Amino acid sequence: MGLADFIKEFRLMPAMKPTKPVSRVRPYPAAEIKHGRHSASAPAIHAGMGAIPHANGVAFRVWAPHAESVAVIGTFNDWDKSKNPMTRENAEGYWYCDVPGAKIGAEYRYSLQTPAGELSKIDPYAREVTNSVGNAVVHDPNFDWGEEFHKTPAWNEWVIYELHVGTFNDPNPDDPRPATFETVVHRFDHLKKLGVNCIQVMPVAEFAGDRSWGYNPAHMFAVEGAYGGPKKFKEFVREAHRNGFAVILDVVYNHFGPSDLDLWQFDGWSENGGGGIYFYQDWRRETPWGDTRPDYGRPEVRQFIRDNAMMWVEDYHIDGLRMDMTLYIRSVRADGEPNLPDGWSLLQWINGEIREKHPNTLTIAEDLQHSEWMTKPVGEGGAGYGAQWDDQFVHPIREAVIAAEDDHRSMGAIAHALAHRYNGDAFQRVIYSESHDEVANGKARVVHEIAPGDPKNWFAQKRSTLAAALVFTAPGIPMLFQGQEFLEGEWFRDTVPLDWDKSSEFRGIVRLYRDLVRLRLNRGGQTKGLTGQHIQVIRADETAKVIAFHRWMDGGQDDSVVVVANFHRDARENFRIGFPESGAWKLLINSDWAGYSETFGNYPSSDVTAEPGECDGLPDHGAVNIGPYSVLVFARTSS
């Protein structure tokens, strides 16, 4: 998980330079055995890893180079290791057998004879498990999607809603079991009315226990059973697509486990007390989450991680992957040292292949080092991500609205946050004021930071929505965190469900978020500029604590937007600012409208007629009235 506060003061890794991508390893040596080497009567050898169902049974393949012998045991052979021994296929240590008559739904394990003794292990490629310490299950790969791949909008038109399955819609908060994929679907109507078009799901790979943030993956290819398992996740994605939502999945490749981890010393071998074949055995293994960093230089481990990423995209029709704390994939420590070239080239391989095969699939890095190399194309030596979480936005915006004294709010810092971009592309960044990390790890929701335990507080409502308004009017891909739209307070915990009663209690705030989303996505046909790249800061007034900026895509009517934000408790009347064009500018939103909250002042803001006359370096000017801690959005419209 992003250790934003811990790492934000450290410098970038010095080796962040173009590197030549490492050539791709072969999928599986066993899968490339040429049938010509066998007699015509020899049984077919089925490609793939783990359990491979076919018309006559199930084949199994596992990588265990140090094992002396391997057998597959399960419900199909009464767990008898003598019945289905596996054959070592090659020097790389792949083992294979075919079990005629085995069926989908059967439980199984691998029994390994090793120099360290006899081991019983869950399949590393298991697509389904009974639980994190149970058995693997032969998963049914067939699923009726009723669709081709979901057609997503262009990235400049995405609005992301991040959620945690276990707490998003928990109907029985006293039940030790978490909420499920099905209960999330029951709230799709709320998300549709809100207007978001992309759901980002915190990790769902099988983890230890039933409640977790999900950043402790025990079985990388299996879907958390407490959430409903793999079939229910596919149904969730299908329903999301049918309701117009793209789906981004959070994945964790900077460490595995650390608990309930059958990968640990999988075939009995290890060095220096390390984790064995899947992990580094030296100083490179150390992470903030234990000595469980995968060995990014070993071809079979690289393949394992690449296969996992492609599984989510191709088998689960996921529209994007957000990769957790990539800093710890490309380097060992939070200061970017020592550099891990193998991790960097692995990221290049995965991103490059996804971009080649699925160009509309968005990969997002949580790196939080504001490095342009993360989102440079692989061909230019970059990591190849489509976007990255932008710490250059969230931290100054949160600091500005949480500060108790108006004099402590920096308009210059806000101006930089609004205009920041990577490689000249504003949509290479995801911008937000709340995320699962920014509302935990010693921090809390914005409303709680301002007025602990009191979401009705005027300052908390005004300044939290001020931050949100900037998320939707600045260039970038905007993101909300679950419950933000109805002033959920305190901090994020995986045991505390959202309080959905607040969505009714603060329905006006929900409407404000809905109106902001509509403007951001140009639903009214007058704010195309908010989907564009361009921004010009018109005024960053440190005395008045007002910032004004111009947004546009190509410019002109219905494509030119001016945003004015007041970061002071006092209203500003007849506040003169520059406008890029003379004539009528229509007020589309006033966040101080009393319809959004009974505590808001309904300050009388109105349309503006800009007149010729230089101001703020622009050819025209106009006077605006703006309430305290409020945002106004004006558009140069044709109507």
Side-chain angles (χ1 to χ4, degrees):
M1 292 137 19
L3 303 173
D5 280 351
F6 176 55
I7 66 176
K8 68 179 182 179
E9 298 299 329
F10 287 99
R11 61 182 174 83
L12 294 177
M13 57 185 281
M16 186 65 73
K17 300 185 177 107
T19 57
K20 182 179 179 181
V22 173
S23 60
R24 301 178 183 182
V25 299
R26 294 182 297 164
Y28 317 102
E32 297 185 358
I33 294 175
K34 298 187 181 301
H35 292 287
R37 296 181 183 176
H38 304 276
S39 67
S41 60
I45 295 179
H46 299 275
M49 292 295 292
I52 311 158
H54 57 85
N56 301 314
V58 180
F60 297 87
R61 181 174 285 109
V62 65
W63 176 57
H66 299 93
E68 297 167 347
S69 65
V70 183
V72 61
I73 56 177
T75 53
F76 43 77
N77 63 14
D78 295 325
W79 305 94
D80 187 342
K81 63 185 179 183
S82 68
K83 291 185 177 179
N84 296 110
M86 304 182 78
T87 300
R88 186 172 182 128
E89 293 181 295
N90 49 41
E92 287 87 353
Y94 287 87
W95 299 78
Y96 176 86
C97 75
D98 195 357
V99 182
K103 299 183 182 300
I104 289 169
E107 297 181 20
Y108 71 100
R109 277 177 163 264
Y110 295 121
S111 177
L112 300 88
Q113 292 292 336
T114 78
E118 183 176 351
L119 303 174
S120 176
K121 294 283 189 174
I122 298 176
D123 185 357
Y125 275 83
R127 297 295 187 94
E128 185 175 352
V129 295
T130 56
N131 58 67
S132 61
V133 293
N135 300 318
V137 178
V138 179
H139 175 61
D140 186 353
N142 301 304
F143 184 77
D144 180 12
W145 286 99
E147 61 164 26
E148 296 299 323
F149 274 89
H150 176 245
K151 183 174 177 58
T152 60
W155 297 345
N156 67 310
E157 297 177 1
W158 280 29
V159 175
I160 301 172
Y161 188 97
E162 185 189 17
L163 64 82
H164 174 255
V165 174
T167 58
F168 178 67
N169 184 32
D170 192 343
N172 301 300
D174 295 328
D175 192 322
R177 295 170 298 180
T180 66
F181 298 121
E182 288 184 293
T183 62
V184 173
V185 171
H186 295 162
R187 293 292 183 179
F188 276 179
D189 283 348
H190 169 82
L191 297 180
K192 289 174 69 175
K193 290 177 182 177
L194 188 61
V196 300
N197 55 18
C198 180
I199 299 170
Q200 180 172 311
V201 182
M202 290 169 66
V204 302
E206 183 77 27
F207 48 73
D210 288 344
R211 288 191 179 271
S212 170
W213 285 32
Y215 297 91
N216 53 331
H219 302 284
M220 302 294 293
F221 286 78
V223 176
E224 174 58 39
Y227 290 167
K231 183 178 180 183
K232 290 298 181 182
F233 186 45
K234 289 179 180 178
E235 292 175 357
F236 167 85
V237 175
R238 182 179 63 188
E239 288 306 305
H241 288 171
R242 287 176 176 175
N243 281 275
F245 304 117
V247 180
I248 295 174
L249 179 64
D250 211 337
V251 292
V252 183
Y253 299 141
N254 51 45
H255 72 287
F256 296 152
S259 54
D260 292 1
L261 193 60
D262 261 26
L263 290 179
W264 190 260
Q265 299 180 359
F266 183 78
D267 64 359
W269 172 84
S270 70
E271 291 180 346
N272 305 316
I277 57 175
Y278 281 92
F279 303 91
Y280 285 119
Q281 306 299 295
D282 54 20
W283 49 268
R284 293 172 293 179
R285 67 193 180 185
E286 297 176 8
T287 79
W289 309 279
D291 294 345
T292 57
R293 178 178 282 113
D295 185 345
Y296 303 127
R298 192 158 190 170
E300 295 83 1
V301 180
R302 294 169 66 85
Q303 189 75 52
F304 180 76
I305 297 172
R306 172 268 178 201
D307 290 350
N308 186 261
M310 297 307 294
M311 176 194 74
W312 299 119
V313 174
E314 296 182 344
D315 296 354
Y316 285 87
H317 292 205
I318 294 297
D319 305 290
L321 296 176
R322 180 264 192 193
M323 295 191 194
D324 180 66
M325 213 51 205
T326 52
L327 174 63
Y328 288 102
I329 297 175
R330 62 178 179 84
S331 63
V332 175
R333 298 191 308 265
D335 61 356
E337 295 285 354
N339 184 19
L340 288 174
D342 291 333
W344 183 259
S345 64
L346 175 62
L347 297 178
Q348 290 180 312
W349 176 24
I350 293 171
N351 286 319
E353 184 169 1
I354 289 176
R355 190 60 37 81
E356 176 186 347
K357 294 181 178 179
H358 307 284
N360 293 325
T361 298
L362 178 64
T363 57
I364 302 171
E366 184 205 20
D367 203 74
L368 303 179
Q369 299 294 284
H370 41 273
S371 168
E372 292 196 331
W373 287 107
M374 297 306 298
T375 45
K376 278 187 184 293
V378 171
E380 298 178 12
Y385 287 96
Q388 58 181 303
W389 279 19
D390 190 15
D391 64 321
Q392 297 288 281
F393 183 90
V394 61
H395 294 152
I397 297 301
R398 281 179 64 97
E399 288 168 7
V401 299
I402 290 172
E405 299 297 328
D406 292 336
D407 289 344
H408 296 165
R409 309 186 209 287
S410 169
M411 298 302 100
I414 293 171
H416 179 268
L418 295 173
H420 186 250
R421 59 188 60 213
Y422 297 100
N423 303 299
D425 185 353
F427 298 104
Q428 287 187 7
R429 66 177 190 158
V430 176
I431 56 178
Y432 52 93
S433 60
E434 294 193 0
S435 72
H436 68 267
D437 279 323
E438 293 296 336
V439 301
N441 297 324
K443 295 171 286 187
R445 302 275 192 163
V446 174
V447 291
H448 191 80
E449 294 278 8
I450 296 170
D454 186 12
K456 294 183 178 180
N457 178 275
W458 179 80
F459 291 98
Q461 291 193 17
K462 290 294 293 183
R463 299 209 302 261
S464 68
T465 55
L466 176 58
L470 294 183
V471 169
F472 289 108
T473 54
I477 301 175
M479 183 180 75
L480 301 175
F481 183 59
Q482 62 176 34
Q484 179 179 347
E485 71 277 17
F486 48 78
L487 304 180
E488 185 71 306
E490 297 189 339
W491 57 92
F492 172 68
R493 287 159 287 178
D494 54 33
T495 56
V496 179
L498 286 184
D499 182 358
W500 280 94
D501 288 342
K502 290 180 179 176
S503 66
S504 177
E505 181 180 5
F506 298 112
R507 58 186 176 274
I509 299 294
V510 175
R511 180 173 179 177
L512 173 55
Y513 275 83
R514 184 189 69 190
D515 290 348
L516 288 168
V517 172
R518 283 181 55 82
L519 290 181
R520 173 61 180 77
L521 294 177
N522 192 29
R523 296 297 188 226
Q526 300 172 316
T527 52
K528 182 180 177 182
L530 294 181
T531 69
Q533 287 276 0
H534 304 298
I535 182 172
Q536 177 188 16
V537 175
I538 298 170
R539 172 92 63 84
D541 193 319
E542 295 290 359
T543 301
K545 298 303 178 185
V546 172
I547 190 164
F549 54 96
H550 176 211
R551 292 290 318 284
W552 72 99
M553 178 178 282
D554 302 312
Q557 290 186 341
D558 300 327
D559 184 13
S560 197
V561 175
V562 168
V563 181
V564 185
N566 182 7
F567 282 78
H568 199 279
R569 71 181 66 198
D570 293 333
R572 303 303 180 194
E573 186 173 356
N574 292 320
F575 191 83
R576 185 172 177 265
I577 62 170
F579 275 83
E581 186 179 352
S582 63
W585 287 80
K586 184 176 182 180
L587 179 63
L588 299 181
I589 195 169
N590 172 11
S591 68
D592 196 46
W593 179 48
Y596 294 139
S597 172
E598 61 184 15
T599 71
F600 290 2
N602 213 29
Y603 193 78
S605 304
S606 61
D607 298 347
V608 171
T609 300
E611 300 176 349
E614 191 276 338
C615 182
D616 295 321
L618 294 174
D620 304 288
H621 69 274
V624 303
N625 299 324
I626 184 169
Y629 304 131
S630 298
V631 170
L632 306 177
V633 178
F634 298 95
R636 186 78 172 95
T637 70
S638 57
S639 59

